[in-house]
Amino acid sequence: NAGVTQTPKFQVLKTGQSMTLQCAQDMNHEYMSWYRQDPGMGLRLIHYSVGAGITDQGEVPNGYNVSRSTTEDFPLRLLSAAPSQTSVYFCASSYSVAGPSEGFFGPGTRLTVL
Amino acid sequence: RKEVEQDPGPFNVPEGATVAFNCTYSNSASQSFFWYRQDCRKEPKLLMSVYSSGNEDGRFTAQLNRASQYISLLIRDSKLSDSATYLCAVTDRTGGFKTIFGAGTRLFVKA
């Protein structure tokens, strides 16, 4: 199993550009989520999904969209990048909402918005 | 007040020491509790779940105190390899499935 994979590993955007961060898992996990991590702020939940076709907002959803058309994939879209979105983005998954919600994390995407 | 708070540290301890971290949470409806370990520039990795009865995994012991709304992590006989940031996480499954993380406590174990 590859576990949770994220692409790209690094990305530089200009203000106003849009892009999609990819996240995939091959463990047939129900639950997937996106976090951003900033120095001194810890991990903050952006969006999460409890299964294909179901998504919900986390703590900091503004400026981001998600969709979950398959169990495996959970892409995060930045609609119009802003410098405040410079961060490290982690995708996570778990077999079921009954267990640890974030059993496995991907390696992260380091995003810089100029 | 943050929903989940941790002492940011850093904690600097010698090898072999016992070190304890606390984490407080504000939502009394929180249902699940976890400790994660995060190495520098890496993703967090689940260390252990925390149960009301407490749980132990080798040198690591986690406790939950629902009345005072805190969880703790005790590391005995610290190793150099324990140097990392330790994150606590709290999940509320009422009205959603949101997991909130603390900002993390940095641990340095010195030879």
Side-chain angles (χ1 to χ4, degrees):
Chain A
N1 286 350
V4 181
T5 58
Q6 289 184 238
T7 55
K9 286 188 168 55
F10 301 93
Q11 183 70 50
V12 179
L13 292 178
K14 294 181 179 178
T15 297
Q17 287 184 315
S18 62
M19 79 159 294
T20 299
L21 308 185
Q22 301 292 343
C23 174
Q25 51 88 11
D26 61 358
M27 298 172 282
N28 200 31
H29 284 177
E30 291 181 357
Y31 187 93
M32 296 185 74
S33 54
W34 275 102
Y35 286 84
R36 60 177 289 174
Q37 187 172 35
D38 303 293
M41 301 287 289
L43 290 154
R44 291 185 291 169
L45 181 64
I46 304 171
H47 286 285
Y48 66 95
S49 168
V50 300
I54 308 169
T55 64
D56 205 348
Q57 297 181 349
E59 301 174 82
V60 288
N62 292 341
Y64 307 95
N65 274 355
V66 292
S67 59
R68 183 98 179 269
S69 55
T70 67
T71 300
E72 295 77 22
D73 300 298
F74 191 44
L76 177 73
R77 295 184 195 83
L78 279 69
L79 308 173
S80 176
S84 60
Q85 292 179 306
T86 293
S87 188
V88 181
Y89 291 84
F90 289 105
C91 178
S93 76
S94 177
Y95 177 72
S96 137
V97 296
S101 295
E102 277 70 31
F104 300 89
F105 278 82
T109 294
R110 295 182 179 276
L111 176 68
T112 301
V113 182
L114 303 174
Chain B
R1 182 188 172 190
K2 293 182 183 177
E3 286 192 54
V4 179
E5 294 201 66
Q6 296 182 248
D7 182 341
F11 284 51
N12 292 289
V13 302
E15 270 187 297
T18 296
V19 61
F21 306 132
N22 282 338
C23 170
T24 59
Y25 61 94
S26 60
N27 184 357
S28 59
S30 298
Q31 298 175 338
S32 305
F33 308 88
F34 311 97
W35 282 102
Y36 286 78
R37 172 198 169 118
Q38 185 174 26
D39 293 298
C40 190
R41 298 181 72 81
K42 297 288 189 181
E43 72 272 23
K45 292 190 176 167
L46 182 63
L47 186 62
M48 56 200 312
S49 302
V50 189
Y51 307 113
S52 297
S53 56
N55 55 313
E56 187 172 316
D57 183 3
R59 298 182 292 107
F60 298 82
T61 300
Q63 297 277 357
L64 165 63
N65 185 318
R66 284 192 182 272
S68 301
Q69 294 184 204
Y70 75 85
I71 63 173
S72 63
L73 178 68
L74 183 77
I75 305 175
R76 290 180 299 277
D77 189 23
S78 299
K79 311 291 185 191
L80 293 176
S81 57
D82 293 334
S83 297
T85 296
Y86 291 84
L87 306 166
C88 64
V90 174
T91 297
D92 175 12
R93 294 200 165 92
T94 56
F97 299 92
K98 297 181 182 180
T99 298
I100 306 298
F101 282 79
T105 298
R106 199 87 184 271
L107 172 66
F108 293 101
V109 181
K110 304 170 294 184

